Amino acid sequence: MIQVLLVDDEEFSQKGMENLVPWEQWNCEIAAVASNGVEALEIINSQKIDLVFTDIKMPEMDGLELIREVNNINSGIDFVIITGYGEFEYAQKALRYGVRNYLLKPVGISEIEETLLKLTRNRIPDLEVQESPESCEIDIESFVEEIMVSVTQKNWNKISEILLAFIKDISSRNCSLEQTRIHAINLLSLLIKNEVIYSNEKTLLLAGEIGSADNQSVIYNILKDQIMMTQNQGERSFSKKMNPHVQKVLIYLIKHYKDKNLTLKWLSENIAYVKSDYLGKLFLSETGKTFAQYLAEFRIARAVEYQKQNPAIPVYDLAKLCGYRDNVSYFIQQYKKITGMTPAEFASSSVVNT
């Protein structure tokens, strides 16, 4: 199993992580705990450690110094930094030590599990081991029902928990990667059939993306992104069909929102095959927003998610990731218009933790 070390001088936080996170479901076990960097370094020097969750500010030796010391003797250990308000300058320094994983206080269990999903995928070789079909059977319908209930209740945070449980169920049965893909495609098909995901012609393309995914983390993110599309489609009931032209546009937007030349005119000519004025009216009727407004809000929502994952990300890189490749100032302007603050102000506020 993957050996985990928890480093935090706050006993309550340390005990919470140790006892509330289902580590064994991610093929992990808590090998040791430490209250500062000095204790942690002694543990790392005396026993096998694969993954370290560490606070930044601690007595005797802080998290950054610990990472620097460990990198000098063992580059095979993955680190996850736990940061608090106003500690983003430390996170920026951690980039120089190769740390790419951040959690912001207060840390939720689902956030830890998403991090484990990403980090443990390369440390579990038996994902590729072929098991018999009987040993890998799961109750996909129950997960679909839970997702449908969460969507109708607009409980979007719950969806992440359900999808994580779906992946954990697969992992617990030692399913091969190919079997994982099949389960995910079946889940996707049932969600489309029940109109949780509003797509018909896109099914094969989405299934193709899952079919070529090289790890569980990619599969999880594909499913999560497609389900979250429902959140962005407004207040429609399951029984109401979306106009197929608008549906095509929304599906394309989710996959290509980073394209800097994404315009209603281009979409009308290349995706929907109707006049742009007509498409604009349809889009407003279906979503309650103009295409430009919807696209801007979608891009900025993604920017916020990127910042939650990495609060130290430079604004230029953030703009580039969200489709504002050549106009950072316009990105900042749109960001402030939609969120009420600049990216820098948002990163330094408590809002980033919600």
Side-chain angles (χ1 to χ4, degrees):
M1 298 185 76
I2 296 169
Q3 302 299 300
V4 179
L5 170 62
L6 303 181
V7 190
D8 198 322
D9 62 323
E10 296 179 7
E11 185 177 2
F12 180 80
S13 299
Q14 185 187 97
K15 291 296 184 183
M17 284 188 65
E18 183 177 3
N19 297 320
L20 298 179
V21 177
W23 298 99
E24 68 285 349
Q25 294 182 15
W26 296 106
N27 198 41
C28 296
E29 65 178 357
I30 304 300
V33 296
S35 60
N36 59 61
V38 173
E39 291 181 11
L41 191 59
E42 291 177 356
I43 292 169
I44 290 170
N45 285 328
S46 63
Q47 65 186 86
K48 181 181 181 294
I49 298 294
D50 302 303
L51 177 59
V52 178
F53 285 78
T54 181
D55 196 1
I56 287 184
K57 289 187 175 180
M58 297 179 293
E60 297 189 55
M61 180 187 290
D62 64 23
L64 291 181
E65 189 176 352
L66 169 64
I67 294 168
R68 185 172 62 248
E69 291 289 334
V70 171
N71 282 345
N72 290 331
I73 59 175
N74 187 341
S75 60
I77 295 178
D78 286 317
F79 279 90
V80 179
I81 283 183
I82 302 173
T83 65
Y85 307 143
E87 295 179 354
F88 303 124
E89 69 276 13
Y90 293 99
Q92 288 177 313
K93 291 179 181 179
L95 289 172
R96 295 199 293 267
Y97 303 140
V99 177
R100 295 293 182 271
N101 303 288
Y102 302 85
L103 291 174
L104 302 174
K105 296 180 180 180
V107 181
I109 295 176
S110 62
E111 293 175 291
I112 295 173
E113 290 196 271
E114 285 192 17
T115 302
L116 289 173
L117 173 60
K118 179 173 64 174
L119 290 175
T120 59
R121 67 185 187 227
N122 294 323
R123 292 183 178 270
I124 307 178
D126 60 3
L127 272 181
E128 294 294 343
V129 176
Q130 296 294 327
E131 298 289 337
S132 64
E134 292 79 10
S135 69
C136 197
E137 290 182 357
I138 64 172
D139 184 8
I140 296 178
E141 287 79 8
S142 66
F143 289 106
V144 172
E145 291 175 4
E146 289 186 59
I147 291 172
M148 289 179 67
V149 170
S150 297
V151 169
T152 57
Q153 295 176 344
K154 300 181 178 63
N155 190 349
W156 308 109
N157 290 331
K158 181 66 175 178
I159 290 172
S160 296
E161 297 177 12
I162 296 169
L163 289 176
L164 282 168
F166 173 71
I167 296 295
K168 283 192 291 185
D169 192 3
I170 293 172
S171 296
S172 69
R173 301 171 191 275
N174 292 322
C175 298
S176 68
L177 181 57
E178 181 59 29
Q179 289 167 326
T180 302
R181 292 171 180 147
I182 292 171
H183 284 319
I185 290 170
N186 289 338
L187 177 70
L188 176 67
S189 298
L190 285 174
L191 291 174
I192 291 171
K193 180 180 179 181
N194 288 281
E195 298 184 358
V196 178
I197 295 176
Y198 298 92
S199 172
N200 289 310
E201 70 284 350
K202 192 66 176 176
T203 305
L204 291 177
L205 291 177
L206 290 175
E209 290 182 24
I210 293 173
S212 61
D214 59 3
N215 59 69
Q216 291 179 333
S217 182
V218 172
I219 292 172
Y220 166 81
N221 286 321
I222 291 172
L223 290 172
K224 182 180 177 181
D225 286 347
Q226 294 305 318
I227 296 172
M228 289 306 179
M229 175 181 176
T230 306
Q231 179 182 14
N232 293 305
Q233 286 178 337
E235 301 294 328
R236 296 179 297 106
S237 66
F238 282 112
S239 60
K240 183 179 177 182
K241 298 282 187 179
M242 172 170 273
N243 179 279
H245 300 306
V246 177
Q247 179 177 301
K248 290 178 182 178
V249 168
L250 284 172
I251 291 170
Y252 189 88
L253 182 151
I254 283 179
K255 285 182 61 64
H256 302 280
Y257 68 92
K258 297 179 182 181
D259 293 358
K260 64 177 181 179
N261 296 320
L262 196 61
T263 64
L264 188 65
K265 185 176 186 299
W266 187 91
L267 289 167
S268 68
E269 295 173 350
N270 296 277
I271 302 299
Y273 305 110
V274 295
K275 292 184 178 180
S276 60
D277 289 346
Y278 177 62
L279 181 60
K281 291 177 181 178
L282 286 176
F283 196 93
L284 180 61
S285 175
E286 289 283 353
T287 67
K289 300 173 183 178
T290 66
F291 174 76
Q293 180 185 6
Y294 189 98
L295 177 61
E297 292 181 1
F298 189 92
R299 283 172 164 171
I300 299 306
R302 290 299 180 271
V304 169
E305 289 302 314
Y306 279 121
Q307 282 187 292
K308 286 182 178 180
Q309 296 172 19
N310 179 7
I313 185 171
V315 67
Y316 173 80
D317 292 340
L318 189 62
K320 184 178 178 181
L321 284 169
C322 300
Y324 298 93
R325 185 184 305 271
D326 300 325
N327 201 336
V328 177
S329 60
Y330 182 64
F331 164 69
I332 296 174
Q333 177 186 332
Q334 290 290 93
Y335 193 108
K336 186 169 185 178
K337 178 181 178 182
I338 292 168
T339 68
M341 58 187 79
T342 67
E345 290 170 341
F346 182 86
S348 62
S349 74
S350 61
V351 180
V352 78
N353 291 280
T354 61

